[in-house]
Amino acid sequence: MQNGIMKDWLDSSHLYGANIAYVEELYEAFLEDPESVPDDWVAVFNALPHRSNIPDDVPLSPLKEYFLRLARDNNSRISSSAQDPQTGSKQVKVLQLINAFRFRGHQHAKLDPLELWKQPRVPDLDPAFHNLEDSDFNQAFNVGSYAIGRETMPLDELYRSLQKTYCGSIGAEYMHITDTEEKRWIQAHLESVEGCGNYSKDDQIRLLKSLTAAEGLEKYLGAKFPGAKRFSLEGGDSLIVLLKELVRSSGSAGLKEVVIGMAHRGRLNVLVNVLGKTSAELFDEFAGRHDSAWGTGDVKYHQGFSSDFATPGGNVHLSLAFNPSHLEIVNPVVIGSVRARQDRRGDSCLPITIHGDAAIAGQGVVQETFNMSQTRGYSVGGTVRIVINNQIGFTTSNPRDSRSTQYCTDIAKMVQAPIFHVNGDDPQAVAFVGQLALDFRNTFKRDVVVELVCYRRHGHNEADEPNATQPLMYQKIKKHPTPRKVYANQLTSENILEDSEVNSLSNGYRDQLDRGECVVEEWRPMTGHSVNWKPYLNHSWDIEYDTRLDIDKVKELAEKISIYPDSHKLHPRVRKVYEDRALMAKGEKPADWGFAENLAYATLLDSGAGVRLTGQDTGRGTFFHRHAVLHNQDDGSTYFPLKNLSDQQGPFYLYDSVLSEEAVLAFEYGYSTAEPESLVLWEAQFGDFANGAQVVIDQFLSSGEQKWGRMCGLVMLLPHGYEGQGPEHSSARLERFLQLCAEQNMQVCVPSTPAQVYHMLRRQHIRKIRRPLIVMSPKSLLRHPTAVSSLDELASGRFYNVLDEIDELIPEQVEQIVMCAGKVYYDLLDARRKAEQTNVAIIRIEQLYPFPYEDISQLLEKYQHVKQFVWCQEEPQNQGAWYCSQHHFFAAIPDNAKLRYAGREASASPAVGYMSLHLEQQRALVQDALTIK
Ligand code: AMP
């Protein structure tokens, strides 16, 4: 086989037969650093037997002999010039020079419009470094794989071409990619056109129009609303060029939707000049007018927008995601939203995420999002990531203080994304890399980065004084012409446009703003958008719903989720779970948690709804209860009973997630805000870890609908319960969620039986409301002998916000009512039964928010005489439901009744670390709750 490879090479390589000294030299370079030699040679050397058979310190003579023998065997030509040791050696140097430009040309590229960057001198880019002398410049050399379309070139021409391709307005970083095809593709697309596109006059006018719009809007706003915060794009104006060209090309490439995520800088410009928000609407926002029907609202530079955009390939739907101030967090949200759209309509939606130079290097969620980009559960076939590098981190920081890497984009190398740095003052180069990036993404389905190197013309906001901290940069910026001016000057000096034409573009744009019009020619009203949110609008929680199902249907589905092919050999423990499920399906064993939960999904899937469930151990369940994926012990293949219900069923997506909370929860939030017709669930490995995603909970889940009118039906399953596993495996921080509850923004539930989890999940989908559901889900209850339900309860019941006492107490004898939620109920029940106590009733509040006043008051009707109430919880007093919900408890009991707390003392840590102490505390709180004081 090696001989075969060598033969191919010998037959095809122009360098074949070049003298051995040259090959030796190349080979030595390869042994030292395989990346230092051209790829063709890497392939050749890798095919040599040295790797496996010849130790590294062996003299090179076997190599010589090997080559000569192969040459002789192949009877191939040996050119006389190639036998000249001098020429052959130079030839190698020329190839090394090409390689040096491919590797490091970007370090000499003219990227900074302000020319303030101090680029290190790169010796390898100097021909002299490779012993290429002036006398060699007129000589023709073979250019190897340099994709200029010629086999040989005089060195001086080659050198100029390399500089033009790799050291102009574009700095291409791609040699870190190990896939040869991808590298070759980039080389072909860059080198064949020497790093610049071919733009007609019409194209150039289009680019100038984009720059005119970018600049025109900011100037107009600056004049009309002086001092008002707008986080101007100025300096990075060519972002508008880049975005519009990307959208245009997306349409031509057959894409139908583009979802964009970005932070505040330049956002108003994108809203008006790309998405087509009317200037009148924006001006109204500046004037402080707002839509009172729409919750608490948000500042104008966080607003999203949707529209259609006409392209030569048809209309493309555009969606700019709403975002909070937390810079990078919107990006996984966008990617989740795109995945939902792709799951619905195929691969026709493109994500574009826009980053800042300091944030992309500084915020960990960027790494998490890159890491997700090629995984099964989160891939979207590549994201085009744009970095607006205005050379200032946050408000005033210079790059030395905001990162430890040369480029702010270095993080992208972790997924071998190509990175195109481009000078923001060269709109043609910007348009060219936009096209290149999109084509790369569409071809290889991988992330790609465009770094728009620019500057920030004003301070952080318009009231800020940038000279105070960046005096030199701002002296330079003051004198520097705007990107529009730079390009207009270029076009007029090349006699492509007259000054008057340039001016009329600016005046025309300003007139449109005066009239409050939409300024995007390509804007079209939204049509044919298949997600209809109308059914979910304007409902309160008391809307009617029914989670019952015919018992025969329940049994049929129960059987289907309990079977698997005979040939699929299960692990004995899993087989036992499935044997039990088969009995549960027949009603011969009461339903446990895993069975009821899987059955809930089956019923929804059977109705045609989709279900997406992700989390770190979701297939199996952290606590071995779910087993929605069956692993064949013979061959490792998998079987999903929930994917095999019927031909008409809805799609079931289940993925073990990457080890992240922040990005994955943001992704699932994005997914569910774009997909109301599926039940979307994220499960934390332990509920404690959800605080790794606190920003998603605070900024999106709990407040997104109020701020932005964006609904989201995401379910968070958070294992919670005090079982002696220490401070980090006990509490899902119930108090944090309850504290965020207001205005019916979400539900917080603590289901305590399989029937309850079954109906709760069904309710979440069937009820035409899409608001987050936060679930404190159990651990030991998954297998608790009392925590079971009958098939009838599943078929004919519903989710009960409050569960009454289950033992047959005589209400008149009850002197005290203990209210509680979750696992502690079973401890209380057990202790009371052991003590044969009949004067204390225990009721469970299964939904803590929205608080079920009515259900409680109905339930308490038979206990009108009871004046002693206890709230019992496992969590310390400063945590759990007592802390945030006691006002609800007080309001729910009769006016003249007393309510006291039974639970752990206030504590800095959620739980103790010692089992013995835990047990003592648990026994004491249960005892306290059952004691009548
Ligand atoms: P998009 O596809 O995200 O551009 O959304 C198109 C339109 O659908 C928006 O203008 C909204 O009217 C509506 N919409 C999208 N997502 C949501 C959501 N999560 N909640 C409510 N309405 C939505």
Side-chain angles (χ1 to χ4, degrees):
M1 154 131 175
Q2 280 172 349
N3 272 347
I5 294 170
M6 289 302 297
K7 183 172 182 312
D8 288 349
W9 171 73
L10 286 165
D11 286 346
S12 61
S13 171
H14 307 296
L15 294 172
Y16 158 67
N19 69 71
I20 290 302
Y22 134 58
V23 181
E24 270 183 11
E25 209 169 311
L26 205 57
Y27 187 59
E28 273 167 9
F30 167 79
L31 290 178
E32 231 171 71
D33 174 10
E35 300 237 303
S36 69
V37 301
D39 292 338
D40 335 12
W41 286 98
V42 172
V44 169
F45 292 144
N46 275 333
L48 288 175
H50 77 279
R51 289 263 165 220
S52 49
N53 303 337
I54 306 175
D56 275 352
D57 57 355
V58 84
L60 290 170
S61 51
L63 178 74
K64 281 184 205 170
E65 283 157 22
Y66 189 70
F67 269 80
L68 288 171
R69 197 177 61 248
L70 278 169
R72 273 196 302 276
D73 291 353
N74 280 284
N75 244 349
S76 304
R77 68 204 145 90
I78 300 180
S79 79
S80 53
S81 73
Q83 285 189 69
D84 168 8
Q86 189 62 22
T87 315
S89 169
K90 292 280 179 182
Q91 174 64 72
V92 177
K93 303 296 182 187
V94 168
L95 294 181
Q96 283 176 339
L97 181 70
I98 294 172
N99 223 31
F101 271 87
R102 286 170 167 173
F103 266 102
R104 302 190 64 187
H106 56 86
Q107 289 181 290
H108 277 190
K110 294 168 201 62
L111 300 176
D112 177 13
L114 302 177
E115 295 176 354
L116 289 174
W117 274 16
K118 291 190 179 48
Q119 288 174 312
R121 204 183 81 75
V122 181
D124 329 18
L125 299 182
D126 184 350
F129 176 85
H130 302 278
N131 297 333
L132 294 167
E133 296 148 9
D134 289 350
S135 55
D136 299 319
F137 268 62
N138 290 328
Q139 202 176 325
F141 288 93
N142 194 296
V143 298
S145 62
Y146 188 59
I148 191 81
R150 289 161 68 179
E151 279 184 16
T152 58
M153 272 171 107
L155 180 57
D156 66 340
E157 213 182 309
L158 173 66
Y159 182 55
R160 266 186 279 120
S161 173
L162 287 168
Q163 282 190 311
K164 190 169 172 210
T165 306
Y166 287 106
C167 302
S169 292
I170 297 168
E173 260 193 294
Y174 63 92
M175 292 298 279
H176 52 280
I177 299 174
T178 49
D179 185 285
T180 306
E181 195 191 338
E182 290 180 18
K183 259 193 294 200
R184 284 275 173 267
W185 186 96
I186 294 171
Q187 282 160 6
H189 284 74
L190 269 179
E191 294 169 356
S192 59
V193 292
E194 295 185 311
C196 59
N198 198 357
Y199 291 91
S200 68
K201 180 173 174 182
D202 282 351
D203 294 331
Q204 290 172 316
I205 292 175
R206 199 178 65 244
L207 303 185
L208 182 62
K209 274 187 178 172
S210 291
L211 288 179
T212 305
E215 180 182 313
L217 180 73
E218 299 293 354
K219 287 212 162 124
Y220 196 93
L221 291 175
K224 199 170 164 103
F225 305 100
K229 274 193 206 174
R230 62 190 147 92
F231 300 103
S232 148
L233 179 63
E234 282 158 287
D237 309 44
S238 47
L239 175 70
I240 302 301
V241 173
L242 181 55
L243 282 178
K244 288 190 79 170
E245 293 304 299
L246 272 171
V247 174
R248 209 177 125 81
S249 307
S250 301
S252 303
L255 295 167
K256 299 282 176 248
E257 279 188 90
V258 174
V259 184
I260 305 171
M262 73 182 295
H264 50 274
R265 167 98 29 231
R267 193 178 176 93
L268 301 183
N269 215 309
V270 171
L271 279 165
V272 171
N273 286 323
V274 179
L275 283 108
K277 180 171 181 162
T278 64
S279 40
E281 213 177 319
L282 182 67
F283 300 155
D284 277 355
E285 287 171 5
F286 269 97
R289 283 178 217 125
H290 68 282
D291 180 356
S292 56
W294 196 10
T296 48
D298 202 349
V299 290
K300 50 193 167 299
Y301 39 83
H302 288 170
Q303 301 291 351
F305 202 77
S306 304
S307 62
D308 283 4
F309 188 104
T311 78
N315 285 5
V316 171
H317 176 72
L318 292 187
S319 180
L320 176 67
F322 292 82
N323 74 298
S325 285
H326 298 56
L327 302 167
E328 293 288 336
I329 191 66
V330 74
N331 299 313
V333 173
V334 163
I335 294 167
S337 168
V338 168
R339 176 67 181 245
R341 293 164 205 254
Q342 293 184 346
D343 282 349
R344 190 164 56 235
R345 284 186 221 132
D347 197 10
S348 64
C349 181
L350 168 76
I352 300 180
T353 57
I354 304 177
H355 310 252
D357 51 328
I360 194 170
Q363 298 200 328
V365 71
V366 175
Q367 179 276 337
E368 292 188 18
T369 314
F370 272 121
N371 185 43
M372 286 154 65
S373 66
Q374 290 294 306
T375 58
R376 283 187 292 180
Y378 305 95
S379 161
V380 285
T383 299
V384 175
R385 295 166 173 271
I386 299 170
V387 183
I388 305 179
N389 180 358
N390 58 23
Q391 311 191 49
I392 288 205
F394 21 99
T395 50
T396 64
S397 174
N398 92 38
R400 249 191 341 192
D401 297 325
S402 50
R403 63 175 188 262
S404 299
T405 53
Q406 184 190 356
Y407 293 113
C408 59
T409 49
D410 284 1
I411 183 77
K413 290 184 187 164
M414 69 174 272
V415 291
Q416 302 201 5
I419 302 161
F420 302 109
H421 312 275
V422 61
N423 186 321
D425 265 5
D426 184 343
Q428 290 184 194
V430 169
F432 175 75
V433 290
Q435 182 72 55
L436 187 65
L438 182 70
D439 290 346
F440 178 88
R441 180 266 175 194
N442 290 345
T443 306
F444 296 105
K445 307 284 175 218
R446 288 158 49 68
D447 283 14
V448 54
V449 177
V450 175
E451 185 199 8
L452 192 66
V453 184
C454 51
Y455 56 93
R456 191 186 73 192
R457 185 159 286 279
H458 307 292
H460 172 63
N461 59 52
E462 288 57 39
D464 196 27
E465 174 48 84
N467 282 293
T469 49
Q470 260 76 22
L472 300 185
M473 181 186 269
Y474 277 83
Q475 282 161 25
K476 188 101 198 215
I477 290 175
K478 208 169 170 191
K479 291 187 218 129
H480 192 75
T482 64
R484 181 198 67 84
K485 186 84 182 129
V486 172
Y487 193 48
N489 287 349
Q490 180 192 324
L491 297 185
T492 49
S493 67
E494 289 171 6
N495 294 325
I496 293 166
L497 287 181
E498 301 283 326
D499 279 343
S500 57
E501 292 173 287
V502 169
N503 291 339
S504 94
L505 288 181
S506 299
N507 295 341
Y509 182 80
R510 203 184 46 237
D511 293 346
Q512 282 186 299
L513 292 183
D514 277 340
R515 294 192 294 270
E517 284 174 5
C518 166
V519 294
V520 179
E521 276 169 37
E522 301 90 340
W523 179 87
R524 298 289 178 275
M526 284 190 277
T527 49
H529 213 264
S530 63
V531 179
N532 181 9
W533 282 90
K534 282 214 180 93
Y536 307 99
L537 299 178
N538 304 321
H539 300 306
S540 59
W541 293 112
D542 48 21
I543 180 180
E544 289 290 315
Y545 68 92
D546 185 356
T547 55
R548 289 171 305 169
L549 261 188
D550 186 75
I551 183 81
D552 291 335
K553 187 73 184 169
V554 171
K555 283 186 174 159
E556 176 199 321
L557 291 169
E559 193 194 329
K560 283 184 176 168
I561 62 160
S562 312
I563 52 174
Y564 52 92
D566 290 343
S567 56
H568 209 75
K569 187 173 161 202
L570 301 191
H571 185 276
R573 284 183 61 194
V574 182
R575 195 172 59 236
K576 170 80 173 81
V577 170
Y578 268 70
E579 282 165 7
D580 286 348
R581 279 189 193 168
L583 296 175
M584 292 172 201
K586 289 186 208 136
E588 292 172 14
K589 205 172 190 281
D592 67 9
W593 204 279
F595 172 84
E597 191 197 318
N598 278 285
L599 187 56
Y601 303 139
T603 60
L604 296 177
L605 291 165
D606 186 64
S607 73
V611 174
R612 176 182 162 94
L613 172 59
T614 63
Q616 275 152 39
D617 299 319
T618 293
R620 182 197 74 178
T622 304
F623 311 101
F624 216 75
H625 84 288
R626 184 169 296 119
H627 299 292
V629 187
L630 299 177
H631 298 264
N632 188 335
Q633 298 298 300
D634 286 337
D635 60 11
S637 61
T638 51
Y639 180 79
F640 294 68
L642 287 165
K643 287 188 184 178
N644 289 283
L645 302 172
S646 77
D647 294 341
Q648 288 85 41
Q649 73 165 94
F652 179 59
Y653 304 111
L654 180 138
Y655 300 103
D656 287 343
S657 75
V658 296
L659 203 159
S660 142
E661 283 81 28
E662 186 177 355
V664 298
L665 187 61
F667 181 103
E668 301 306 339
Y669 168 82
Y671 194 103
S672 34
T673 51
E675 182 45 282
E677 285 154 23
S678 293
L679 180 70
V680 184
L681 310 99
W682 175 72
E683 181 174 59
Q685 191 184 39
F686 279 88
D688 315 56
F689 301 141
N691 59 9
Q694 198 64 46
V695 58
V696 186
I697 297 162
D698 293 345
Q699 261 62 31
F700 292 91
L701 279 164
S702 63
S703 56
E705 189 181 342
Q706 284 299 313
K707 291 190 290 189
W708 312 316
R710 282 295 177 272
M711 286 178 267
C712 164
L714 182 67
V715 181
M716 286 178 76
L717 299 175
L718 307 175
H720 173 86
Y722 280 62
E723 287 160 8
Q725 293 187 52
E728 271 82 55
H729 290 103
S730 299
S731 174
R733 296 297 200 166
L734 173 62
E735 63 281 1
R736 299 254 168 90
F737 293 97
L738 292 173
Q739 190 228 351
L740 293 170
C741 288
E743 304 177 275
Q744 304 209 343
N745 60 340
M746 54 189 186
Q747 310 142 89
V748 178
C749 292
V750 196
S752 65
T753 71
Q756 284 288 84
V757 73
Y758 170 89
H759 288 292
M760 178 194 71
L761 293 173
R762 282 180 53 71
R763 178 180 79 167
Q764 178 67 1
H765 186 75
I766 289 168
R767 187 162 56 176
K768 291 277 176 241
I769 294 182
R770 290 295 173 263
R771 288 202 186 117
L773 165 61
I774 314 299
V775 185
M776 298 292 119
S777 57
K779 296 177 287 183
S780 62
L781 288 199
L782 299 171
R783 273 174 282 280
H784 196 288
T786 322
V788 289
S789 304
S790 70
L791 274 185
D792 276 341
E793 285 174 291
L794 302 186
S796 56
R798 54 184 278 259
F799 180 76
Y800 297 99
N801 293 329
V802 183
L803 287 178
D804 199 357
E805 171 59 54
I806 61 163
D807 282 351
E808 287 182 6
L809 303 183
I810 300 163
E812 292 73 29
Q813 289 181 3
V814 169
E815 294 170 52
Q816 176 163 293
I817 292 178
V818 177
M819 300 187 288
C820 64
K823 187 214 101 195
V824 72
Y825 165 75
Y826 291 95
D827 294 346
L828 288 163
L829 184 68
D830 189 46
R832 193 193 62 190
R833 282 179 176 171
K834 278 191 183 134
E836 296 180 359
Q837 217 179 333
T838 54
N839 56 352
V840 174
I842 310 169
I843 66 170
R844 284 167 275 177
I845 303 183
E846 304 266 306
Q847 178 174 290
L848 286 161
Y849 190 85
F851 195 76
Y853 288 108
E854 242 177 61
D855 303 81
I856 295 183
S857 110
Q858 274 172 21
L859 191 151
L860 292 184
E861 264 169 26
K862 60 179 175 289
Y863 302 115
Q864 286 302 308
H865 60 285
V866 178
K867 300 293 174 240
Q868 303 283 352
F869 284 79
V870 175
W871 170 257
C872 178
Q873 67 177 33
E874 300 180 302
E875 300 88 346
Q877 191 168 11
N878 55 325
Q879 298 163 33
W882 178 250
Y883 192 67
C884 278
S885 296
Q886 55 177 281
H887 59 292
H888 292 308
F889 307 149
F890 277 112
I893 61 173
D895 284 346
N896 52 357
K898 279 194 191 145
L899 173 69
R900 71 180 173 85
Y901 166 81
R904 289 182 165 79
E905 285 180 12
S907 157
S909 163
V912 294
Y914 305 100
M915 184 56 110
S916 56
L917 189 52
H918 158 77
L919 291 173
E920 196 184 311
Q921 288 180 342
Q922 193 78 4
R923 191 199 49 75
L925 70 91
V926 166
Q927 197 52 50
D928 184 25
L930 296 176
T931 304
I932 298 177
K933 293 187 174 168

